[in-house]
Amino acid sequence: MPKYTKKSRPPRNKTTKSGADDSASIDDGVSTCSNMSDVTSIYEDSEVGFPLGNDVILTSDSLDEKLDTSIEGLRNKDLRTRENYLRTLQTLLSQKYVSELVSNRIESLTEQLIACLRKGNESEGKLAATVSSLVFIQLGEVDDELFLKFRDAILPTYTQALGIICFISSEEISSTVELMKILETIFSPSYLSEDGASPIINHDLQELHTAALTSWCLLASTLPDNLAHELIRIYLPEKIPGLLETNDSDLRNQAGETIAVLYEIARDIHSIFAEPSESLLITLEKKANESAKYRGKKEKRLQRATFREIYNSFEEGTSPDFDIKFGRETLEITSWTSRFYYNMFSSILATGMNVHLKENGFLRSVFNLDEPEIENLEQSKVNKLDRHNANKAAFKTRTQALNKTRANKVRRNHYED
């Protein structure tokens, strides 16, 4: 199981009844949000996830065949053909929860995805990295050996995918720390110089820096308390706040969210750095009200909303607070960390997010969701009941593995201290 579950500060999420009439029709393909923050609500549909451009038709009867055909198609010598099959895999693995099918084909999937990652073509590499993330989300299990195989193939270009893969599959804290150091070397050129000036970096590198910082923040949220104390001491006072002065809006906003997550962790572990400095508050307030003419309207709107919420969280003690409804359940997002997780996985799963929230035992454990409820048998088909029973058994297995891992981690941390 992922390392975040071994911490003593899990996200404060829970499932509740949505309050909808059970007799009403429920579209499992749509999740709805209520009381969404300004930051979340201003994203447009075109910015979330990825385009499903090849119109893949998915039915239960054809999933095995489509998966096998797509894996075999990755051997094709034609670049465009391989990319089309990668898009098919992207659609299939994001829109459907097929953990068992993926597990049974993991060797061939690994071989072909790593081959695509190493061919050097940018568009193929991005697709292969995304599909690799989806494979690990499907598996939802610790596998340090598999993580190392993909780490060597993905670095240093596709860092966001690697962050998710490490989050899910690497149990070794030393591997996480090592990867975080590598990620920092990628985004550290955006740190302020000694004279306080923000470096000028081209757009492509800024995208890489943003992805690396995103993965770094994700992995930072998994660290045990003793390492979290040290990380906060080193990075919160100056290094990460310095990124707020970058000229790239995406990196600037990601730095703001990283600061919010780190201060939330600092408060949870009672760090002496749990309160922001006056200079940081002044910077956050400035970003929340910035109206520079050289920034686009959309860019300014997103920045204002992002930093207004971050600034208010310090001044008024507020946190993100909104609901995600999927089927008859409701996921309550009530912390910066849980919102960061939700945005991260939504960016990969796109419109398949609610399907995985409902069926994927790993993703449900990320958000502390209860075991899926037994559906009304009179309204369920036999194959749906079989799928539910399989998911229930898988969820129980994952829970038992999690309890064992957590116990081992507690003993290891006690020994290290």
Side-chain angles (χ1 to χ4, degrees):
M1 293 299 293
K3 296 180 292 304
Y4 70 88
T5 51
K6 304 173 202 171
K7 298 191 304 179
S8 59
R9 51 178 189 276
R12 294 176 289 117
N13 306 308
K14 59 184 178 180
T15 38
T16 62
K17 290 287 186 180
S18 66
D21 184 354
D22 287 348
S23 64
S25 62
I26 297 177
D27 182 0
D28 287 341
V30 178
S31 62
T32 59
C33 306
S34 60
N35 300 324
M36 295 289 285
S37 68
D38 289 342
V39 177
T40 306
S41 63
I42 63 178
Y43 285 105
E44 295 184 2
D45 292 342
S46 60
E47 296 177 297
V48 180
F50 46 79
L52 304 179
N54 55 342
D55 298 326
V56 180
I57 299 175
L58 301 176
T59 63
S60 298
D61 296 335
S62 66
L63 294 181
D64 290 67
E65 181 181 350
K66 284 190 180 297
L67 191 55
D68 289 333
T69 301
S70 298
I71 295 172
E72 184 62 29
L74 299 184
R75 301 178 186 271
N76 198 288
K77 294 182 179 180
D78 180 66
L79 172 61
R80 182 171 296 181
T81 300
R82 293 198 304 273
E83 289 182 348
N84 284 336
Y85 281 117
L86 284 169
R87 291 188 183 94
T88 299
L89 286 170
Q90 184 182 42
T91 304
L92 191 159
L93 298 178
S94 64
Q95 304 299 302
K96 298 289 185 179
Y97 179 55
V98 287
S99 178
E100 185 175 352
L101 298 183
V102 172
S103 180
N104 291 339
R105 296 162 174 79
I106 191 59
E107 290 187 8
S108 57
L109 258 173
T110 299
E111 178 185 356
Q112 297 311 314
L113 287 173
I114 289 179
C116 290
L117 287 164
R118 288 177 171 164
K119 290 187 188 301
N121 180 274
E122 182 178 1
S123 59
E124 180 181 16
K126 286 182 178 179
L127 283 167
T130 299
V131 173
S132 299
S133 299
L134 291 167
V135 167
F136 280 86
I137 291 173
Q138 290 279 346
L139 295 175
E141 298 174 347
V142 168
D143 192 331
D144 282 288
E145 183 179 350
L146 193 60
F147 160 68
L148 293 176
K149 289 181 180 179
F150 278 88
R151 184 196 65 179
D152 295 340
I154 288 176
L155 279 175
T157 309
Y158 311 110
T159 55
Q160 188 159 332
L162 186 57
I164 291 177
I165 290 172
C166 181
F167 179 83
I168 296 170
S169 64
S170 180
E171 184 180 21
E172 294 297 327
I173 293 297
S174 59
S175 295
T176 299
V177 173
E178 180 184 357
L179 179 55
M180 289 181 68
K181 290 179 179 178
I182 295 173
L183 293 169
E184 188 196 2
T185 64
I186 294 174
F187 67 76
S188 61
S190 287
Y191 284 157
L192 293 179
S193 61
E194 292 183 0
D195 62 0
S198 181
I200 299 176
I201 298 173
N202 67 51
H203 179 68
D204 289 341
L205 281 179
Q206 286 172 333
E207 284 188 346
L208 181 62
H209 292 185
T210 302
L213 178 61
T214 302
S215 288
W216 186 90
C217 180
L218 178 67
L219 298 181
S221 71
T222 72
L223 296 179
D225 289 359
N226 58 332
L227 294 181
H229 271 290
E230 186 67 9
L231 178 134
I232 288 166
R233 180 187 69 81
I234 295 173
Y235 292 96
L236 257 189
E238 295 182 0
K239 287 189 175 183
I240 301 301
L243 295 174
L244 298 177
E245 303 302 331
T246 180
N247 62 337
D248 181 77
S249 60
D250 291 335
L251 181 55
R252 191 165 54 245
N253 292 335
Q254 182 55 58
E257 292 195 31
T258 300
I259 289 169
V261 170
L262 292 182
Y263 270 108
E264 185 172 77
I265 294 173
R267 291 190 293 271
D268 287 346
I269 64 176
H270 307 293
S271 168
I272 61 174
F273 299 99
E275 296 300 326
S277 65
E278 187 65 26
S279 61
L280 176 57
L281 290 176
I282 291 173
T283 300
L284 292 174
E285 186 176 24
K286 177 183 175 183
K287 299 299 179 185
N289 296 286
E290 192 170 59
S291 58
K293 293 183 179 179
Y294 61 86
R295 301 198 192 284
K297 183 182 296 185
K298 184 176 179 180
E299 178 182 331
K300 287 188 290 187
R301 183 178 59 168
L302 176 56
Q303 176 177 307
R304 288 172 182 169
T306 299
F307 287 96
R308 186 186 307 120
E309 189 169 14
I310 296 171
Y311 177 76
N312 289 340
S313 72
F314 291 125
E315 287 291 280
E316 302 174 10
T318 59
S319 296
D321 187 6
F322 58 90
D323 297 338
I324 308 293
K325 294 183 179 180
F326 57 102
R328 294 181 176 87
E329 295 180 276
T330 300
L331 166 63
E332 299 177 359
I333 300 295
T334 57
S335 69
W336 283 103
T337 304
S338 60
R339 192 178 82 168
F340 182 79
Y341 289 165
Y342 184 82
N343 288 342
M344 173 70 87
F345 284 102
S346 292
S347 71
I348 299 295
L349 295 168
T351 57
M353 180 69 176
N354 61 310
V355 173
H356 284 264
L357 280 174
K358 183 178 181 181
E359 301 180 13
N360 189 323
F362 155 72
L363 199 63
R364 292 181 69 87
S365 71
V366 170
F367 296 104
N368 293 339
L369 291 166
D370 297 331
E371 187 173 333
E373 295 181 1
I374 299 177
E375 302 195 24
N376 190 326
L377 298 181
E378 295 180 357
Q379 299 176 355
S380 301
K381 296 182 180 179
V382 174
N383 63 341
K384 198 168 187 179
L385 176 61
D386 291 340
R387 183 180 64 192
H388 168 78
N389 290 334
N391 288 339
K392 183 176 180 180
F395 191 89
K396 182 177 181 180
T397 300
R398 290 188 183 94
T399 301
Q400 292 172 342
L402 168 62
N403 292 336
K404 182 178 179 181
T405 301
R406 183 185 291 112
N408 291 337
K409 178 64 180 300
V410 169
R411 287 194 294 269
R412 184 163 64 249
N413 285 344
H414 177 73
Y415 175 78
E416 291 174 354
D417 292 340

